[in-house]
Amino acid sequence: MAERAVAGAAFEALLRHSRTLLIVVDHRLRIRSAGPVAAELAGRPADALPGMSLIAALGSVPLDAVAREALASAEPAVGETELGHRASRSFSVEGLRLPDGGVVLSLSEISALRRAERVRRDFMANISHELRTPLTSIKLLAETVADGAVDDGASARDFAVQIEREVDHLAQLVDELLDLARIESGEVSLTIAPLRPSDVIARLAERIGPMADRQGMTVRVLPPPAEPDHPMVAGDAERLGQALLNLAHNAVKYSHRGGEVRLAWSATEAAVRFEVADDGIGIPEAHRSRIFERFYKVDRSRARDAAAEPERAGAGLGLAIVRHIAEGHGGSVGVRSTHGSGSTFWVDVPRAPHP
Ligand SMILES: Nc1ncnc2c1ncn2[C@@H]1O[C@H](COP(=O)(O)OP(=O)(O)OP(=O)(O)O)[C@@H](O)[C@H]1O
Ligand SMILES: [Mg+2]
């Protein structure tokens, strides 16, 4: 008898507190006991569940099917189901028949695993698309030449130039991908040192200059704020420079000829903010929260054709890299933008302690 009591108490503890969710149903698939998590998934108070049919309480056909299968067999039945608000959580389910004819269902959450699989699938689909596009162009160009359709030297050279551009684009894509993979896997360790914000901005202006020139754009460095305590940032000069250069590239790329890119910094108690502003095409509100995701582009047709204007081709990886670098510094990124009249991106980086 004592042993039964212990078993009962153990089951009660599992039912209430285990991360594995337990639901006991009778031979007609009515709930006999279920813990608070099951009640939460059912969206009902815990004391409302006993007596309800499993399907009515949780609304899951696959869960019901596992219970039925378990009832009919001495072997455990297994399956998978989505539960919760808008079926947003995934569970693996095991059903075991009890000696009295009921079934105990144990559910383990596998949402994180499913989410990771989805991300990986999207990633593969995106990357295949991004690699396919320039490859298709190269193949077409090469075929045209091979077919003898290009008879004079000048046209042949023109084709070669186009092929070279596509290859450059592919190479850049592969570099960005490798970079992102290294940063995401934590393989890149930052070499943090105190940096003067005005040096960071001056270096950025120097590096973006040639590209801005080609687009007929000017780069303006806004005067630094009067900061009596001369703040320094705790940054990796190389990586922080790369992040800001990505922002400046975008500012040039998504602007009109003759426009202006403004570079600025300012400081708060804890951080230094670097800003890159343009009066370009801007970003519609609906897209603003997603542009820092890898491969996300507002409009594929907007970044112009790689062959026609190589400077405007992009994979949608630049901002993902910026975000990772900022977060690697313990900082953050942000944007404000008016669709049609420009964007301001910023990176906040923690300040270096004063010596
Ligand atoms: N300054 C900007 N003005 C307007 N739109 C922008 C600006 N910066 C980024 N975007 C939008 O956000 C998207 C994502 O930018 P991101 O830098 O990640 O990718 P990309 O520039 O398309 O390609 P990549 O940087 O990998 O060469 C861009 O495709 C563009 O639609
Ligand atoms: Mg970019």
Side-chain angles (χ1 to χ4, degrees):
M1 256 331 171
E3 236 162 70
R4 281 206 141 204
V6 171
F11 180 75
E12 197 58 29
L14 282 175
L15 190 67
R16 304 217 160 272
H17 305 296
S18 171
R19 285 175 41 177
T20 303
L21 230 122
L22 296 175
I23 302 172
V24 184
V25 296
D26 65 16
H27 66 285
R28 286 157 60 211
L29 302 188
R30 287 186 186 281
I31 294 177
R32 284 162 64 180
S33 32
V37 181
E40 185 192 316
L41 287 169
R44 297 169 203 277
D47 58 7
L49 290 188
M52 279 187 86
S53 78
L54 184 64
I55 187 88
L58 286 148
S60 161
V61 173
L63 184 63
D64 206 61
V66 169
R68 277 175 203 286
E69 198 186 321
L71 258 190
S73 154
E75 297 293 309
V78 292
E80 256 188 65
T81 182
E82 258 84 60
L83 293 174
H85 181 58
R86 293 210 200 129
S88 56
R89 294 168 67 181
S90 309
F91 293 85
S92 74
V93 190
E94 192 175 8
L96 290 171
R97 189 168 69 187
L98 295 169
D100 71 351
V103 169
V104 57
L105 296 159
S106 78
L107 291 80
S108 318
E109 182 148 20
I110 51 170
S111 304
L113 184 69
R114 289 288 169 268
R115 205 170 307 123
E117 283 170 2
R118 214 159 31 240
V119 167
R120 197 180 56 85
R121 258 201 315 276
D122 289 354
F123 181 76
M124 293 312 283
N126 276 321
I127 207 168
S128 313
H129 171 87
E130 292 300 333
L131 294 172
R132 235 311 117 234
T133 312
L135 280 175
T136 307
S137 305
I138 293 169
K139 175 121 176 82
L140 272 174
L141 291 162
E143 269 173 10
T144 314
V145 177
D147 286 351
V150 182
D151 33 26
D152 64 303
S155 313
R157 264 195 302 283
D158 191 44
F159 270 73
V161 168
Q162 284 187 53
I163 290 176
E164 204 185 332
R165 275 185 191 157
E166 293 289 353
V167 170
D168 284 349
H169 174 58
L170 262 180
Q172 189 207 329
L173 179 64
V174 171
D175 283 348
E176 279 186 339
L177 275 170
L178 289 175
D179 221 29
L180 193 59
R182 272 203 300 271
I183 296 173
E184 281 189 345
S185 68
E187 238 177 77
V188 174
S189 51
L190 299 174
T191 316
I192 303 287
L195 309 171
R196 227 196 311 254
S198 50
D199 291 349
V200 175
I201 290 284
R203 177 91 188 94
L204 175 63
E206 218 173 270
R207 289 174 80 185
I208 194 61
M211 183 178 172
D213 275 353
R214 275 201 300 279
Q215 292 292 122
M217 295 181 65
T218 45
V219 176
R220 187 148 65 95
V221 175
L222 298 186
E227 291 285 346
D229 63 341
H230 302 291
M232 303 282 270
V233 306
D236 178 316
E238 174 79 24
R239 291 291 170 179
L240 183 58
Q242 180 194 0
L244 294 172
L245 188 62
N246 281 358
L247 294 182
H249 262 160
N250 284 346
V252 171
K253 194 154 91 162
Y254 301 106
S255 286
H256 315 289
R257 285 195 75 82
E260 184 181 75
V261 176
R262 289 174 298 282
L263 311 177
W265 68 272
S266 58
T268 61
E269 198 104 308
V272 167
R273 170 167 293 191
F274 295 98
E275 284 194 342
V276 178
D278 64 65
D279 333 291
I281 61 181
I283 302 157
E285 160 100 63
H287 297 277
R288 250 168 258 159
S289 62
R290 298 205 55 195
I291 50 178
F292 290 96
E293 293 171 19
R294 51 188 185 191
F295 293 115
Y296 194 84
K297 295 183 245 182
V298 170
D299 174 1
R300 284 187 186 278
S301 67
R302 225 170 62 152
R304 296 179 202 165
D305 188 53
E309 265 183 275
E311 256 110 45
R312 301 239 178 179
L317 293 174
L319 289 177
I321 293 174
V322 176
R323 179 168 61 87
H324 276 287
I325 291 176
E327 288 172 0
H329 279 81
S332 58
V333 291
V335 60
R336 60 176 179 271
S337 178
T338 310
H339 187 204
S341 60
S343 313
T344 300
F345 281 84
W346 65 84
V347 173
D348 286 347
V349 185
R351 281 172 69 155
H354 261 285

